């Protein structure tokens, strides 16, 4: 009887070992997340394990040394802001990932930086909760003193905001399908076009896209703009490259995003024009996972 029990125990142990080896083999055969093998992907803000914060809307200083972004603790983003993407308090971090610090406690949505790097513009989140139609406060923030000048505009639900280039004393923003120009000297507003996304080219021209959201024109080329395809919970599954002259759209390789099946949003060029900063989150099936801030280097070498 004892020998039979020992035989059973040995068989049971072998079955457990075999099961463990099978599971390990399956896990190793599954595709890994691109950030584990694409050495051009660099995690700038956040972590890939605990997901403590939701960080989005990165913009880069003109010298390429700093990245400004919006961030909220995951539980606050969940409970108080209903997974609204692109919302948070203002932070900065050096482009090497050091020196992260919170700048302001106000809640903002959509930020941009002036061509000289001295000011940020942002949409101040309304006190009326999640009523996006009431989002009609635009603030200019001095990056050194953090003082704010507030502009009340007549168009709500602002999604994107951009400074005019060169010496133009103006801001452009989208409200629904309207693109509006705000003159900062006299606060007058003018609807200048209609579309989904827009940007100001390096030579100061307004570009409006009828199909893509959050287009960002390459600083070295007036003809190339990066965006993302649409997806659930905001953002998309892949990066897109718009050829402005021909209006062709290239869907870029999945290896450029950190997570297999994850989402990316808010791509923004570094001044060098050969790398981008963006937000990315791992896959989710019911509730969205919070995003981190990533950098993709050697951009054009990977899409040739």
């Amino acid at each position: 009887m004892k020998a039979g029990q020992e035989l059973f125990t040995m068989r049971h142990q072998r079955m457990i070992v075999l099961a463990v080896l099978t599971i390990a083999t399956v896990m190793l055969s599954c595709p890994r997340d691109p950030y584990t093998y694409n050495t051009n992907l660099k995690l700038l803000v956040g972590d890939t394990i605990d997901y403590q914060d939701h960080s989005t809307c990165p913009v880069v200083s003109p010298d390429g040394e700093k990245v400004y972004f919006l961030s909220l603790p995951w539980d606050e983003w969940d409970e108080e802001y209903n997974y609204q993407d692109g919302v948070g308090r203002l932070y900065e971090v050096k482009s090497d990932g050091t020196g992260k610090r919170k700048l302001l406690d106000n809640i903002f949505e959509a930020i941009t930086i002036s061509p000289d790097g001295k000011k940020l513009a942002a949409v101040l989140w309304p006190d009326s909760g999640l009523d996006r139609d009431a989002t009609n406060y635009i603030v200019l923030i001095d990056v050194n003193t953090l003082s704010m000048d507030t502009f009340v505009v007549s168009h709500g639900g602002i999604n994107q905001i951009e400074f005019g280039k060169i010496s133009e004393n103006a801001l452009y923003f989208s409200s629904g399908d309207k693109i509006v120009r705000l003159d900062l000297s006299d606060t007058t507003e003018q609807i200048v076009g209609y579309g989904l996304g827009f940007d100001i080219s390096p030579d100061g021209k307004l570009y409006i896209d009828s199909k893509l959201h959050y287009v960002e024109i390459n600083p070295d080329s007036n003809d190339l703009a990066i965006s993302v395809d649409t997806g659930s919970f905001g953002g998309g599954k892949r990066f897109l490259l718009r050829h402005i002259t021909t209006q062709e759209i290239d869907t870029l390789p999945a290896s450029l995003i950190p997570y297999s099946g994850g989402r990316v949003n808010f791509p923004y060029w570094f001044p060098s024009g050969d790398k981008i900063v963006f937000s990315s989150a791992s896959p989710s099936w019911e509730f969205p996972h919070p995003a981190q801030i990533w950098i993709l280097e050697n951009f054009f070498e990977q899409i040739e």
Side-chain angles (χ1 to χ4, degrees), residues 85-115:
D85 208 8
V87 173
R89 297 178 179 87
L90 181 64
Y91 285 77
E92 71 173 11
V93 66
K94 294 180 181 179
S95 55
D96 63 2
T98 63
K100 175 188 169 184
R101 69 184 185 110
K102 182 171 64 175
L103 299 180
L104 291 168
D105 274 319
N106 307 75
I107 302 296
F108 301 102
E109 177 186 14
I111 61 173
T112 189
I113 191 165
S114 62

Side-chain angles (χ1 to χ4, degrees), residues 153-165:
V153 296
S154 60
H155 298 83
I158 299 172
N159 294 305
Q160 185 180 1
I161 186 168
E162 299 288 347
F163 276 96
K165 295 293 193 294

Side-chain angles (χ1 to χ4, degrees), residues 181-201:
R181 180 184 184 274
L182 170 65
D183 190 312
L184 298 175
S185 59
D186 60 15
T187 70
T188 57
E189 301 170 46
Q190 177 188 5
I191 297 176
V192 293
Y194 294 85
L196 290 182
F198 76 96
D199 196 15
I200 311 298
S201 66

Side-chain angles (χ1 to χ4, degrees), residues 9 24 42 94 96 126 150 170 176 202 266:
T9 301
K42 312 291 185 183
K94 294 180 181 179
D96 63 2
T150 303
F266 306 110

